[in-house]
Each structure stands twice: as C-alpha cells, then as structure tokens.
Amino acid sequence: MKSVIKRILGTIPVLIGVVLLIFIMLRIVPGNAAAMLLGEHVDQATIDRLTEVMGLDKPVIVQFFDYLAGAIHGDLGISYKYNRAVTDMIIEAFPYTLELALLAALFAWVLGLGTGIIAAIRQNSLVDHLFMGVSLAGVSMPIFMVALLQYLFAFKIKAFPLTLDGTFLSMILPAIALGWNSAGSIARMTRSSLLEVMQADYIDTARAKGLRKQAVILGHALKNSMLPVITMMALQFSGMLSGAVITESIFAIPGIGRLATTAIQNRDMPVLQGTVLFTTVLVIAGNLIADLLYSVLDPRIRKEA
C-alpha cells in the first residue's frame, strides 16, 4: 500500500510539469488567439478587449497558476472557439476513444497472443517464420499505412462504412488500424517469453514425464511467461486511449484525439491544454496499473516492496 501511495504522489510533479510545458509551448507560438478568433479586418481596440476578457493580458505565471487551481477542481477552462466548458467537451469525446481503444485492444490481444503461442509451439517452422514476419510488419508499419484498409475495404469494396455512423461495423476498421501495431508487439513478446520459460528446469521435468510439447507449453510454461506480456498489454491500452489521434482523424471519429487536432487548428488553447492533461493522466494511470499488475503477479516483487 505504501508503494502505491508513493507512486501516486510521484505523478503529481509530472502532471504539473506537463501543464507548465504545454503552457510555455503554446505561448511561444507566434500569433494572438483573440485576433485569430475575430478574423481579419478587426480593429486593435476590439482585439485588446477580447484579449482582456480571455485573460490573455495577464502575466504567463499568473495564467499558469489560475489554470492549475482550476484543474485541481476539475475546471479545465472554457473553449475559445465554442464557448463551452472544456471538461464537458472531453467527457463527450472520451466514450468514442474508449470504445475504439477497447475494440483495438481486443483485436490486438486475441491476434497477438494466438499467433505468439502458435509460433512458439511451432518454433522454426514455416508457420513460425510466417507469423513472425507478419508481426514484424505490424510493428514496423505506421498507423496511417494500416489505415489504407479504409480505402480498400470501405471505399473500393464497400464492405464497411467509410466513416463512423454509430454502428459496430463502422468501428471494426479503425480498431484494426489502431490495434495492428500492438498485435505484432504482443505476438513477438509472447513467443520470446514462452521460449525463454521453456528453458527452465521444471519444464525439463514436465517433458521427462512424457508430456507433449503443446501440453507443456499450455499447461506449465504459458502462465509463467505471461508476466511481461500482461504488463505490455496494460501499457498498450493506455497508449491507445491517449494516442489515437491519427486513427480518429482518418476515420472521422469524434474522440479525444480529433478534439486535440481541431484545437490545434483553431488555436483553442484551453481545449488543447485540457486534452493533453487528460491523456497524460491516462498514460500515468496505465503505467501505475502495469506496475501494480507486475507486483500482483510476481510474488518476488511484492516481497521487495
């Protein structure tokens, strides 16, 4: 329990640092947010009045502490573009990102674990080389390349909706595009971890009892080899929740990633700050859960803690 509290307290400086960093980055970018909102042919007096209303005339350090105080109470500011609470906008967008991440994780975990286990069982066979080659392509291929599936299966073959239309079918291609890279990583990790565990002494004992290789792997080695794989899966899921920007943009999914890209285009600083802070919390939570899973699954780590 003490180690958990220590980890949680250790995330506070990280969050403050992220807020400070995004504050500095947004304010060194040339341009005035008030002027961009008002557009061209607006007199300077009007721009100055809007700048004052938006609080952009205050010193940066004052703006920073005002924002930090609001964020602690769940207030992430008001959108410059839509004049809405940023917290409400994030709450509306997050279910789309969560649904996409869950489907992508399910696809990645089922495909990755299945191919990794089969490759380990059929080590150095044609199936092993084929699965590992495909998984290497999955790890190496960027998400926007996998999203060519949209062009092939949605635009050409018309087997799936081109963009999100509220149906489960329209989420399949985005989930594959987002989960493909993770599936390759899981497959390779599962295979290597299984093969490493297969070198242990107790595995030799199980083999000496006359058990077949498949029975040894599934009955003895698989459980002990899953520790690093489960940790990777937890980290990947938090990454999917925070890193679906390209996928959501390509497939027109109104999630957190698309909200952030729209905020960048509109120079909507409160929305961008809010989405960055929110995704940072998700990543930190994913890392914390991965650490907890590791300590729960490995008794040696619990004793050290």
Side-chain angles (χ1 to χ4, degrees):
M1 187 64 183
K2 291 182 179 179
S3 61
V4 175
I5 295 175
K6 187 183 296 184
R7 289 191 181 101
I8 293 175
L9 292 176
T11 63
I12 296 176
V14 176
L15 292 173
I16 295 175
V18 168
V19 175
L20 179 60
L21 182 62
I22 194 67
F23 241 89
I24 294 173
M25 290 178 63
L26 288 175
R27 280 155 181 78
I28 63 175
V29 175
N32 185 303
M36 292 184 67
L37 287 175
L38 292 172
E40 299 180 359
H41 312 300
V42 178
D43 60 274
Q44 187 61 42
T46 304
I47 295 175
D48 292 340
R49 284 197 299 272
L50 183 59
T51 300
E52 183 178 354
V53 170
M54 294 167 67
L56 299 177
D57 60 327
K58 298 179 182 178
V60 174
I61 190 66
V62 175
Q63 295 181 45
F64 171 72
F65 281 108
D66 286 347
Y67 181 80
L68 194 60
I72 292 173
H73 295 89
D75 180 10
L76 299 178
I78 303 296
S79 168
Y80 293 162
K81 179 71 174 179
Y82 303 103
N83 195 30
R84 294 185 56 202
V86 175
T87 304
D88 293 341
M89 296 175 70
I90 291 176
I91 291 173
E92 289 179 6
F94 183 62
Y96 294 98
T97 299
L98 179 61
E99 182 183 4
L100 174 61
L102 287 172
L103 291 175
L106 180 63
F107 166 78
W109 296 346
V110 171
L111 182 63
L113 289 174
T115 54
I117 293 170
I118 294 172
I121 294 175
R122 303 292 299 276
Q123 183 184 7
N124 296 326
S125 67
L126 178 61
V127 172
D128 181 20
H129 294 308
L130 177 62
F131 281 178
M132 289 302 99
V134 173
S135 67
L136 180 61
V139 172
S140 307
M141 191 177 299
I143 292 177
F144 67 85
M145 289 295 293
V146 181
L148 290 174
L149 293 168
Q150 183 191 39
Y151 175 77
L152 178 61
F153 289 100
F155 185 72
K156 284 294 185 181
I157 302 178
K158 301 185 186 302
F160 296 93
L162 189 61
T163 56
L164 185 67
D165 61 4
T167 63
F168 174 77
L169 194 64
S170 64
M171 293 294 291
I172 293 178
L173 286 182
I176 294 175
L178 183 60
W180 185 263
N181 183 279
S182 296
S185 300
I186 292 173
R188 299 182 72 82
M189 174 66 79
T190 301
R191 178 186 181 275
S192 62
S193 184
L194 264 175
L195 293 178
E196 181 180 351
V197 171
M198 289 295 290
Q199 307 300 319
D201 293 337
Y202 70 91
I203 297 296
D204 293 333
T205 303
R207 285 172 173 168
K209 293 179 180 179
L211 295 177
R212 297 177 60 188
K213 184 177 181 180
Q214 291 88 334
V216 173
I217 289 178
L218 298 177
H220 296 272
L222 185 60
K223 179 182 178 181
N224 294 324
S225 65
M226 284 295 100
L227 181 59
V229 178
I230 292 175
T231 305
M232 173 185 282
M233 289 160 64
L235 293 174
Q236 284 182 342
F237 183 65
S238 66
M240 290 175 184
L241 287 172
S242 60
V245 176
I246 298 176
T247 305
E248 290 182 356
S249 298
I250 292 174
F251 290 92
I253 298 174
I256 298 295
R258 196 176 182 199
L259 187 64
T261 56
T262 304
I264 293 173
Q265 294 169 359
N266 296 328
R267 196 176 167 79
D268 197 341
M269 290 184 288
V271 175
L272 184 56
Q273 289 167 178
T275 53
V276 170
L277 181 59
F278 183 73
T279 53
T280 301
V281 171
L282 292 178
V283 171
I284 291 174
N287 280 273
L288 181 60
I289 292 172
D291 289 342
L292 294 176
L293 282 174
Y294 214 95
S295 61
V296 168
L297 296 173
D298 193 337
R300 296 168 299 181
I301 296 178
R302 287 204 300 271
K303 290 179 180 179
E304 292 175 2

